[in-house]
Amino acid sequence: MKSLIHIFYMNKSLQAFNTFGIEASAGQLIEINSVAALQAVLPDIKTPFYVLGGGSNILLLNDIKGTVLKMSIPGIKIERTFKHAVYLSAGAGVNWHKLVLFAVENNLGGLENLSLIPGTVGASPMQNIGAYGVEIKDVFHRLEAVEIATGKLKIFRRKELAFGYRNSIFKNKLKGKYIITKVWFKLSKPPHRLRLAYGAIKTVLKNAGINQPTIRDISDAVIKIRSEKLPDPREIGNAGSFFKNPVVDAGLFAALHRQYPEIPHYPQADGTVKLPAGWLIEQCGWKGKRIGDTGTHVRQALVLVNYGTASGAEIHALAVKIRESVRQKFKITLEMEVNIWH
Ligand code: FAD
Ligand code: NAP
Protein backbone atom coordinates (compact mmCIF):
# COMPACT_ATOMS: atom_id res chain seq x y z
CA MET A 1 0.00 0.00 0.00
CA LYS A 2 2.76 2.45 0.98
CA SER A 3 4.38 2.33 -2.48
CA LEU A 4 1.14 3.59 -3.98
CA ILE A 5 1.04 6.68 -1.76
CA HIS A 6 3.30 9.41 -2.93
CA ILE A 7 3.71 11.57 0.18
CA PHE A 8 2.37 11.26 3.70
CA TYR A 9 2.76 14.10 6.25
CA MET A 10 1.77 14.35 9.93
CA ASN A 11 0.72 17.69 11.49
CA LYS A 12 1.33 19.52 8.25
CA SER A 13 0.84 23.27 7.85
CA LEU A 14 -1.74 24.02 5.16
CA GLN A 15 -0.65 27.64 4.65
CA ALA A 16 1.01 26.90 1.31
CA PHE A 17 -1.97 24.76 0.27
CA ASN A 18 -4.69 27.45 0.33
CA THR A 19 -4.66 30.65 -1.72
CA PHE A 20 -6.04 32.68 1.22
CA GLY A 21 -2.71 31.81 2.90
CA ILE A 22 -4.48 30.92 6.15
CA GLU A 23 -2.32 29.24 8.76
CA ALA A 24 -3.95 25.99 9.88
CA SER A 25 -2.67 22.44 10.12
CA ALA A 26 -3.82 19.00 9.08
CA GLY A 27 -3.42 15.98 11.36
CA GLN A 28 -2.50 13.99 8.22
CA LEU A 29 -1.94 15.21 4.70
CA ILE A 30 -1.72 12.50 2.05
CA GLU A 31 -0.83 13.30 -1.51
CA ILE A 32 -2.68 11.03 -3.94
CA ASN A 33 -1.10 10.34 -7.32
CA SER A 34 -3.28 7.54 -8.68
CA VAL A 35 -6.71 5.95 -8.38
CA ALA A 36 -5.12 2.84 -6.89
CA ALA A 37 -3.42 4.92 -4.17
CA LEU A 38 -6.73 6.61 -3.37
CA GLN A 39 -8.56 3.28 -3.12
CA ALA A 40 -5.80 1.89 -0.91
CA VAL A 41 -5.80 4.80 1.51
CA LEU A 42 -9.57 5.35 1.87
CA PRO A 43 -10.23 2.67 4.53
CA ASP A 44 -7.59 4.23 6.82
CA ILE A 45 -8.42 7.93 6.60
CA LYS A 46 -9.15 9.76 9.82
CA THR A 47 -12.27 11.90 10.18
CA PRO A 48 -13.09 14.68 9.70
CA PHE A 49 -11.51 14.44 6.29
CA TYR A 50 -11.33 16.81 3.36
CA VAL A 51 -10.39 16.62 -0.33
CA LEU A 52 -7.98 19.29 -1.50
CA GLY A 53 -7.13 20.44 -5.02
CA GLY A 54 -5.27 23.73 -5.42
CA GLY A 55 -6.94 25.24 -2.33
CA SER A 56 -8.20 28.25 -4.33
CA ASN A 57 -11.84 27.97 -3.29
CA ILE A 58 -11.66 27.11 0.41
CA LEU A 59 -11.59 29.01 3.69
CA LEU A 60 -10.00 27.18 6.63
CA LEU A 61 -11.66 28.09 9.93
CA ASN A 62 -9.70 25.74 12.21
CA ASP A 63 -6.92 23.18 12.33
CA ILE A 64 -8.08 19.90 10.81
CA LYS A 65 -7.67 17.03 13.23
CA GLY A 66 -8.30 14.33 10.63
CA THR A 67 -6.98 13.70 7.10
CA VAL A 68 -6.61 15.97 4.09
CA LEU A 69 -6.26 14.15 0.75
CA LYS A 70 -4.33 16.32 -1.69
CA MET A 71 -5.33 15.29 -5.21
CA SER A 72 -2.25 15.16 -7.46
CA ILE A 73 -3.26 12.62 -10.13
CA PRO A 74 -1.38 13.74 -13.26
CA GLY A 75 -1.84 13.30 -17.00
CA ILE A 76 -3.34 15.08 -20.01
CA LYS A 77 -4.29 12.87 -22.96
CA ILE A 78 -5.97 13.34 -26.34
CA GLU A 79 -8.30 10.35 -26.21
CA ARG A 80 -10.14 10.41 -29.57
CA THR A 81 -10.15 12.65 -32.60
CA PHE A 82 -13.17 13.06 -34.86
CA LYS A 83 -13.82 15.30 -37.86
CA HIS A 84 -15.10 18.22 -35.80
CA ALA A 85 -14.30 17.31 -32.19
CA VAL A 86 -11.52 16.01 -29.98
CA TYR A 87 -11.97 14.25 -26.63
CA LEU A 88 -9.34 15.26 -24.11
CA SER A 89 -8.89 13.79 -20.63
CA ALA A 90 -6.99 15.09 -17.60
CA GLY A 91 -6.17 13.73 -14.16
CA ALA A 92 -7.74 15.43 -11.14
CA GLY A 93 -4.41 16.92 -10.05
CA VAL A 94 -3.62 18.68 -13.34
CA ASN A 95 -3.39 22.46 -12.98
CA TRP A 96 -6.44 23.95 -14.69
CA HIS A 97 -4.60 26.69 -16.57
CA LYS A 98 -2.04 24.16 -17.88
CA LEU A 99 -4.92 22.20 -19.37
CA VAL A 100 -6.28 25.37 -21.01
CA LEU A 101 -2.83 26.17 -22.46
CA PHE A 102 -2.48 22.58 -23.74
CA ALA A 103 -5.83 22.95 -25.54
CA VAL A 104 -4.90 26.35 -27.00
CA GLU A 105 -1.48 25.09 -28.17
CA ASN A 106 -3.18 22.17 -29.94
CA ASN A 107 -5.82 24.50 -31.45
CA LEU A 108 -8.65 22.79 -29.56
CA GLY A 109 -11.48 25.20 -28.81
CA GLY A 110 -13.79 25.64 -25.82
CA LEU A 111 -11.55 26.31 -22.82
CA GLU A 112 -9.92 29.60 -23.88
CA ASN A 113 -12.37 31.87 -21.98
CA LEU A 114 -11.50 29.92 -18.82
CA SER A 115 -7.81 30.86 -18.94
CA LEU A 116 -5.97 31.63 -15.71
CA ILE A 117 -8.57 30.23 -13.30
CA PRO A 118 -6.53 28.83 -10.42
CA GLY A 119 -6.95 25.30 -9.13
CA THR A 120 -7.13 21.78 -10.48
CA VAL A 121 -9.06 19.84 -13.09
CA GLY A 122 -10.61 17.64 -10.38
CA ALA A 123 -12.28 20.60 -8.69
CA SER A 124 -13.55 22.17 -11.93
CA PRO A 125 -16.87 20.27 -12.08
CA MET A 126 -17.59 20.87 -8.37
CA GLN A 127 -18.92 24.38 -8.94
CA ASN A 128 -19.09 24.21 -12.75
CA ILE A 129 -16.33 26.82 -12.99
CA GLY A 130 -17.15 29.72 -15.24
CA ALA A 131 -15.83 33.01 -16.55
CA TYR A 132 -16.38 35.39 -19.44
CA GLY A 133 -19.54 33.69 -20.68
CA VAL A 134 -18.33 30.05 -20.59
CA GLU A 135 -18.85 27.32 -18.00
CA ILE A 136 -17.22 23.90 -18.01
CA LYS A 137 -20.63 22.34 -18.58
CA ASP A 138 -20.31 23.71 -22.16
CA VAL A 139 -17.33 21.40 -22.87
CA PHE A 140 -17.72 18.70 -20.21
CA HIS A 141 -18.06 15.12 -21.48
CA ARG A 142 -17.80 12.82 -18.45
CA LEU A 143 -15.84 12.21 -15.27
CA GLU A 144 -14.56 9.34 -13.20
CA ALA A 145 -14.88 9.42 -9.41
CA VAL A 146 -14.27 7.12 -6.48
CA GLU A 147 -17.14 6.55 -4.08
CA ILE A 148 -15.82 7.31 -0.59
CA ALA A 149 -18.00 4.72 1.19
CA THR A 150 -17.04 1.78 -1.05
CA GLY A 151 -13.87 2.78 -2.94
CA LYS A 152 -15.65 1.86 -6.19
CA LEU A 153 -15.05 3.78 -9.41
CA LYS A 154 -18.05 5.37 -11.10
CA ILE A 155 -18.46 7.26 -14.37
CA PHE A 156 -20.75 10.31 -14.37
CA ARG A 157 -22.08 11.75 -17.61
CA ARG A 158 -23.01 15.39 -18.15
CA LYS A 159 -26.74 14.99 -17.63
CA GLU A 160 -26.19 13.29 -14.25
CA LEU A 161 -24.31 16.24 -12.75
CA ALA A 162 -27.16 18.81 -12.49
CA PHE A 163 -24.78 21.60 -13.52
CA GLY A 164 -26.08 25.07 -12.61
CA TYR A 165 -24.65 28.53 -11.98
CA ARG A 166 -21.51 27.75 -9.89
CA ASN A 167 -23.21 24.54 -8.88
CA SER A 168 -23.32 20.78 -9.46
CA ILE A 169 -24.67 17.66 -7.82
CA PHE A 170 -21.39 17.41 -5.86
CA LYS A 171 -22.32 20.56 -3.91
CA ASN A 172 -25.79 19.20 -3.11
CA LYS A 173 -27.14 15.62 -3.22
CA LEU A 174 -23.71 13.97 -3.55
CA LYS A 175 -21.79 16.38 -1.30
CA GLY A 176 -18.95 14.52 0.45
CA LYS A 177 -19.73 11.23 -1.29
CA TYR A 178 -17.28 11.09 -4.25
CA ILE A 179 -13.71 12.07 -5.08
CA ILE A 180 -13.18 13.08 -8.69
CA THR A 181 -10.13 11.41 -10.26
CA LYS A 182 -10.35 12.22 -13.98
CA VAL A 183 -12.37 14.48 -16.30
CA TRP A 184 -13.02 14.25 -20.07
CA PHE A 185 -13.79 17.30 -22.21
CA LYS A 186 -15.19 17.54 -25.75
CA LEU A 187 -13.36 20.33 -27.56
CA SER A 188 -13.78 21.73 -31.06
CA LYS A 189 -11.51 21.59 -34.09
CA PRO A 190 -11.37 24.70 -36.30
CA PRO A 191 -13.46 26.56 -37.29
CA HIS A 192 -14.20 27.32 -33.61
CA ARG A 193 -17.29 28.97 -32.15
CA LEU A 194 -15.83 31.98 -30.35
CA ARG A 195 -17.48 33.37 -27.22
CA LEU A 196 -17.01 37.16 -27.29
CA ALA A 197 -20.14 38.41 -25.49
CA TYR A 198 -18.25 39.81 -22.49
CA GLY A 199 -17.45 43.46 -23.18
CA ALA A 200 -13.97 43.40 -21.68
CA ILE A 201 -12.79 40.72 -24.17
CA LYS A 202 -14.11 42.73 -27.12
CA THR A 203 -12.39 45.88 -25.85
CA VAL A 204 -8.97 44.22 -25.43
CA LEU A 205 -9.16 42.64 -28.90
CA LYS A 206 -10.27 45.94 -30.46
CA ASN A 207 -7.44 47.86 -28.76
CA ALA A 208 -4.97 45.29 -30.06
CA GLY A 209 -6.34 45.76 -33.59
CA ILE A 210 -7.50 42.11 -33.80
CA ASN A 211 -10.56 41.73 -36.03
CA GLN A 212 -10.54 37.98 -36.56
CA PRO A 213 -9.46 36.52 -33.24
CA THR A 214 -8.13 33.01 -32.76
CA ILE A 215 -8.66 31.01 -29.58
CA ARG A 216 -5.12 32.01 -28.59
CA ASP A 217 -6.07 35.71 -28.96
CA ILE A 218 -9.05 35.13 -26.67
CA SER A 219 -6.94 33.26 -24.13
CA ASP A 220 -4.32 36.04 -24.18
CA ALA A 221 -7.06 38.71 -23.79
CA VAL A 222 -8.56 36.90 -20.79
CA ILE A 223 -5.10 36.49 -19.22
CA LYS A 224 -4.48 40.22 -19.69
CA ILE A 225 -7.82 41.28 -18.19
CA ARG A 226 -7.52 38.92 -15.24
CA SER A 227 -3.90 39.87 -14.49
CA GLU A 228 -4.82 43.56 -14.44
CA LYS A 229 -8.02 43.27 -12.41
CA LEU A 230 -7.75 40.36 -10.01
CA PRO A 231 -5.32 40.11 -7.09
CA ASP A 232 -2.64 37.44 -7.55
CA PRO A 233 -2.90 35.06 -4.56
CA ARG A 234 0.91 34.89 -4.50
CA GLU A 235 0.85 38.60 -3.56
CA ILE A 236 -2.44 38.98 -1.61
CA GLY A 237 -4.25 35.98 -0.16
CA ASN A 238 -7.71 35.48 -1.67
CA ALA A 239 -10.05 32.82 -3.07
CA GLY A 240 -11.55 34.79 -5.97
CA SER A 241 -15.22 35.76 -5.71
CA PHE A 242 -16.30 35.12 -2.15
CA PHE A 243 -20.03 35.19 -2.96
CA LYS A 244 -22.05 34.04 -5.95
CA ASN A 245 -23.73 36.66 -8.12
CA PRO A 246 -27.38 36.57 -7.01
CA VAL A 247 -30.07 35.73 -9.53
CA VAL A 248 -33.36 37.41 -8.57
CA ASP A 249 -36.92 37.18 -9.88
CA ALA A 250 -38.33 39.82 -12.22
CA GLY A 251 -40.50 41.39 -9.47
CA LEU A 252 -37.63 42.06 -7.07
CA PHE A 253 -35.49 43.30 -9.93
CA ALA A 254 -38.18 45.77 -11.07
CA ALA A 255 -38.39 47.18 -7.52
CA LEU A 256 -34.61 47.49 -7.26
CA HIS A 257 -34.35 49.07 -10.70
CA ARG A 258 -36.89 51.74 -9.75
CA GLN A 259 -34.83 52.59 -6.65
CA TYR A 260 -31.39 52.20 -8.29
CA PRO A 261 -31.78 52.94 -12.03
CA GLU A 262 -28.02 52.51 -12.54
CA ILE A 263 -27.92 48.93 -11.17
CA PRO A 264 -25.95 46.66 -13.58
CA HIS A 265 -28.06 43.64 -14.53
CA TYR A 266 -28.00 40.65 -16.84
CA PRO A 267 -31.42 39.17 -17.82
CA GLN A 268 -31.45 35.37 -17.95
CA ALA A 269 -33.31 33.16 -20.44
CA ASP A 270 -35.86 32.09 -17.77
CA GLY A 271 -36.92 35.68 -16.94
CA THR A 272 -34.77 35.99 -13.82
CA VAL A 273 -32.06 38.66 -13.59
CA LYS A 274 -28.40 38.19 -12.53
CA LEU A 275 -26.93 41.04 -10.48
CA PRO A 276 -23.20 41.55 -9.90
CA ALA A 277 -22.57 40.86 -6.20
CA GLY A 278 -19.46 43.07 -6.41
CA TRP A 279 -21.63 46.11 -7.24
CA LEU A 280 -24.07 45.41 -4.39
CA ILE A 281 -21.15 45.11 -1.93
CA GLU A 282 -19.56 48.29 -3.28
CA GLN A 283 -22.83 50.21 -2.79
CA CYS A 284 -22.72 49.21 0.88
CA GLY A 285 -19.37 50.98 1.18
CA TRP A 286 -17.16 47.91 1.46
CA LYS A 287 -14.94 48.27 -1.62
CA GLY A 288 -11.27 48.49 -0.61
CA LYS A 289 -12.17 48.55 3.10
CA ARG A 290 -9.66 46.97 5.49
CA ILE A 291 -10.30 45.61 8.98
CA GLY A 292 -7.08 44.36 10.58
CA ASP A 293 -5.53 42.05 8.01
CA THR A 294 -8.83 41.29 6.25
CA GLY A 295 -10.64 43.39 3.69
CA THR A 296 -12.17 43.59 0.24
CA HIS A 297 -9.98 44.16 -2.78
CA VAL A 298 -9.60 47.73 -4.04
CA ARG A 299 -10.52 46.83 -7.63
CA GLN A 300 -13.16 44.14 -6.99
CA ALA A 301 -15.25 44.26 -3.79
CA LEU A 302 -16.40 40.67 -4.36
CA VAL A 303 -12.90 39.41 -3.60
CA LEU A 304 -12.15 39.17 0.13
CA VAL A 305 -8.46 39.32 0.94
CA ASN A 306 -5.93 38.36 3.58
CA TYR A 307 -3.28 41.06 3.82
CA GLY A 308 -1.00 38.81 5.87
CA THR A 309 -1.95 37.23 9.14
CA ALA A 310 -5.76 37.13 9.07
CA SER A 311 -7.35 33.97 10.42
CA GLY A 312 -10.08 32.09 8.63
CA ALA A 313 -12.51 33.10 11.39
CA GLU A 314 -11.70 36.81 10.84
CA ILE A 315 -12.33 36.54 7.10
CA HIS A 316 -15.54 34.64 7.75
CA ALA A 317 -16.68 37.31 10.23
CA LEU A 318 -16.09 39.99 7.59
CA ALA A 319 -18.07 37.96 5.04
CA VAL A 320 -20.98 37.67 7.46
CA LYS A 321 -20.95 41.47 8.04
CA ILE A 322 -20.91 42.12 4.29
CA ARG A 323 -23.75 39.68 3.69
CA GLU A 324 -25.79 41.41 6.40
CA SER A 325 -25.28 44.91 4.94
CA VAL A 326 -26.31 43.72 1.47
CA ARG A 327 -29.38 42.03 2.96
CA GLN A 328 -30.41 45.20 4.77
CA LYS A 329 -29.89 47.54 1.81
CA PHE A 330 -31.11 45.37 -1.07
CA LYS A 331 -33.19 42.57 0.59
CA ILE A 332 -30.89 40.03 -1.10
CA THR A 333 -29.07 37.32 0.85
CA LEU A 334 -25.74 36.58 -0.81
CA GLU A 335 -24.66 32.94 -0.93
CA MET A 336 -21.03 32.14 -0.16
CA GLU A 337 -19.27 30.56 -3.12
CA VAL A 338 -16.11 29.66 -1.21
CA ASN A 339 -16.21 26.29 0.58
CA ILE A 340 -15.92 26.80 4.34
CA TRP A 341 -13.87 24.09 6.08
CA HIS A 342 -15.04 24.04 9.72
P1 FAD B 1 -10.06 23.55 -3.87
O1 FAD B 1 -10.13 24.94 -3.40
O2 FAD B 1 -8.90 22.72 -3.43
O3 FAD B 1 -11.39 22.80 -3.49
C1 FAD B 1 -12.65 23.39 -3.75
C2 FAD B 1 -13.74 22.38 -3.36
O4 FAD B 1 -13.71 21.24 -4.23
C3 FAD B 1 -13.52 21.83 -1.94
O5 FAD B 1 -14.79 21.62 -1.35
C4 FAD B 1 -12.83 20.50 -2.18
O6 FAD B 1 -13.08 19.56 -1.15
C5 FAD B 1 -13.44 20.05 -3.50
N1 FAD B 1 -12.53 19.25 -4.33
C6 FAD B 1 -11.33 19.65 -4.83
N2 FAD B 1 -10.82 18.68 -5.61
C7 FAD B 1 -11.71 17.65 -5.59
C8 FAD B 1 -11.76 16.36 -6.20
N3 FAD B 1 -10.79 15.91 -7.00
N4 FAD B 1 -12.84 15.55 -5.95
C9 FAD B 1 -13.83 15.98 -5.13
N5 FAD B 1 -13.85 17.19 -4.53
C10 FAD B 1 -12.80 18.02 -4.76
N6 FAD B 1 -13.81 30.12 -10.03
C11 FAD B 1 -14.59 30.20 -11.12
O7 FAD B 1 -15.55 29.43 -11.28
N7 FAD B 1 -14.35 31.14 -12.08
C12 FAD B 1 -13.33 32.01 -11.99
O8 FAD B 1 -13.15 32.83 -12.87
C13 FAD B 1 -12.50 31.96 -10.84
N8 FAD B 1 -11.49 32.85 -10.67
C14 FAD B 1 -10.71 32.79 -9.55
C15 FAD B 1 -9.68 33.73 -9.41
C16 FAD B 1 -8.86 33.69 -8.29
C17 FAD B 1 -7.76 34.70 -8.15
C18 FAD B 1 -9.06 32.70 -7.31
C19 FAD B 1 -8.15 32.62 -6.13
C20 FAD B 1 -10.09 31.78 -7.42
C21 FAD B 1 -10.93 31.82 -8.56
N9 FAD B 1 -11.99 30.92 -8.74
C22 FAD B 1 -12.77 30.98 -9.85
C23 FAD B 1 -12.29 29.91 -7.70
C24 FAD B 1 -11.44 28.61 -7.87
O9 FAD B 1 -10.27 28.85 -8.57
C25 FAD B 1 -12.21 27.50 -8.59
O10 FAD B 1 -13.39 27.20 -7.90
C26 FAD B 1 -11.38 26.24 -8.73
O11 FAD B 1 -12.07 25.28 -9.50
C27 FAD B 1 -11.00 25.60 -7.39
O12 FAD B 1 -10.07 24.58 -7.65
P2 FAD B 1 -9.11 24.01 -6.54
O13 FAD B 1 -8.42 22.83 -7.12
O14 FAD B 1 -8.26 25.07 -6.00
O15 FAD B 1 -10.17 23.52 -5.46
P1 NAP C 1 -16.99 41.90 -14.24
O1 NAP C 1 -16.52 41.84 -15.65
O2 NAP C 1 -16.69 43.09 -13.40
O3 NAP C 1 -18.55 41.66 -14.21
C1 NAP C 1 -19.26 41.55 -12.98
C2 NAP C 1 -20.24 40.42 -13.09
O4 NAP C 1 -21.21 40.75 -14.07
C3 NAP C 1 -19.56 39.16 -13.53
O5 NAP C 1 -19.33 38.36 -12.42
C4 NAP C 1 -20.50 38.54 -14.55
O6 NAP C 1 -21.19 37.44 -14.09
C5 NAP C 1 -21.50 39.64 -14.88
N1 NAP C 1 -21.33 40.00 -16.31
C6 NAP C 1 -20.45 40.88 -16.85
N2 NAP C 1 -20.63 40.96 -18.20
C7 NAP C 1 -21.62 40.10 -18.50
C8 NAP C 1 -22.27 39.72 -19.72
N3 NAP C 1 -21.92 40.27 -20.90
N4 NAP C 1 -23.24 38.80 -19.66
C9 NAP C 1 -23.61 38.25 -18.49
N5 NAP C 1 -23.04 38.55 -17.30
C10 NAP C 1 -22.07 39.48 -17.30
O7 NAP C 1 -16.48 40.60 -13.45
P2 NAP C 1 -15.05 40.22 -12.90
O8 NAP C 1 -15.11 40.13 -11.42
O9 NAP C 1 -13.98 41.04 -13.54
O10 NAP C 1 -14.93 38.73 -13.43
C11 NAP C 1 -14.83 38.47 -14.80
C12 NAP C 1 -15.23 37.03 -15.07
O11 NAP C 1 -14.38 36.13 -14.33
C13 NAP C 1 -16.65 36.72 -14.62
O12 NAP C 1 -17.21 35.81 -15.51
C14 NAP C 1 -16.47 36.10 -13.26
O13 NAP C 1 -17.48 35.17 -12.95
C15 NAP C 1 -15.14 35.39 -13.41
N6 NAP C 1 -14.45 35.37 -12.11
C16 NAP C 1 -14.87 34.47 -11.19
C17 NAP C 1 -14.25 34.38 -9.96
C18 NAP C 1 -14.68 33.34 -8.96
O14 NAP C 1 -13.98 33.12 -7.98
N7 NAP C 1 -15.79 32.68 -9.17
C19 NAP C 1 -13.20 35.21 -9.64
C20 NAP C 1 -12.80 36.14 -10.59
C21 NAP C 1 -13.43 36.20 -11.83
P3 NAP C 1 -20.62 35.94 -14.15
O15 NAP C 1 -19.83 35.77 -12.91
O16 NAP C 1 -21.85 35.13 -14.17
O17 NAP C 1 -19.80 35.77 -15.39
Side-chain angles (χ1 to χ4, degrees), residues 135-332:
E135 296 175 329
I136 73 145
K137 74 167 171 45
D138 304 331
V139 285
F140 177 89
H141 176 52
R142 63 181 168 136
L143 65 76
E144 173 197 86
V146 169
E147 190 180 20
I148 293 167
T150 62
K152 283 188 185 155
L153 266 183
K154 181 171 160 59
I155 296 291
F156 288 89
R157 299 192 180 274
R158 189 174 178 275
K159 61 178 185 329
E160 296 172 90
L161 292 194
F163 280 131
Y165 179 62
R166 303 287 188 270
N167 213 351
S168 78
I169 197 162
F170 297 115
K171 291 198 90 174
N172 300 291
K173 202 171 141 201
L174 297 185
K175 191 171 177 172
K177 301 230 181 298
Y178 284 89
I179 300 175
I180 297 165
T181 49
K182 189 171 177 177
V183 187
W184 283 256
F185 301 92
K186 183 184 177 188
L187 303 181
S188 65
K189 283 168 64 171
H192 301 296
R193 195 182 130 231
L194 304 179
R195 265 66 58 108
L196 299 166
Y198 271 50
I201 297 184
K202 277 191 205 147
T203 307
V204 169
L205 294 173
K206 195 172 164 222
N207 291 345
I210 297 168
N211 300 317
Q212 293 190 313
T214 62
I215 57 170
R216 183 178 291 278
D217 293 327
I218 294 176
S219 172
D220 288 346
V222 170
I223 290 170
K224 181 174 162 52
I225 300 162
R226 295 186 75 106
S227 309
E228 285 169 3
K229 185 164 182 191
L230 292 167
D232 182 343
R234 287 169 303 187
E235 288 159 18
I236 309 177
N238 75 90
S241 308
F242 199 90
F243 299 98
K244 291 183 187 182
N245 290 316
V247 179
V248 302
D249 63 42
L252 175 55
F253 173 69
L256 286 170
H257 199 218
R258 272 194 300 277
Q259 207 177 344
Y260 306 99
E262 73 287 12
I263 188 168
H265 57 281
Y266 300 96
Q268 305 296 291
D270 63 0
T272 59
V273 182
K274 183 177 70 183
L275 305 173
W279 186 86
L280 301 173
I281 295 168
E282 193 177 337
Q283 298 310 302
C284 296
W286 285 107
K287 191 174 184 179
K289 224 170 196 175
R290 181 169 175 165
I291 302 176
D293 260 358
T294 69
T296 65
H297 192 250
V298 282
R299 290 192 297 275
Q300 173 51 290
L302 187 51
V303 177
L304 271 55
V305 295
N306 172 12
Y307 284 104
T309 60
S311 67
E314 285 166 340
I315 291 172
H316 192 257
L318 173 67
V320 169
K321 272 190 199 145
I322 290 173
R323 186 174 60 186
E324 186 50 24
S325 355
V326 170
R327 200 185 62 75
Q328 284 194 8
K329 190 171 171 78
F330 296 105
K331 310 279 176 287
I332 292 172

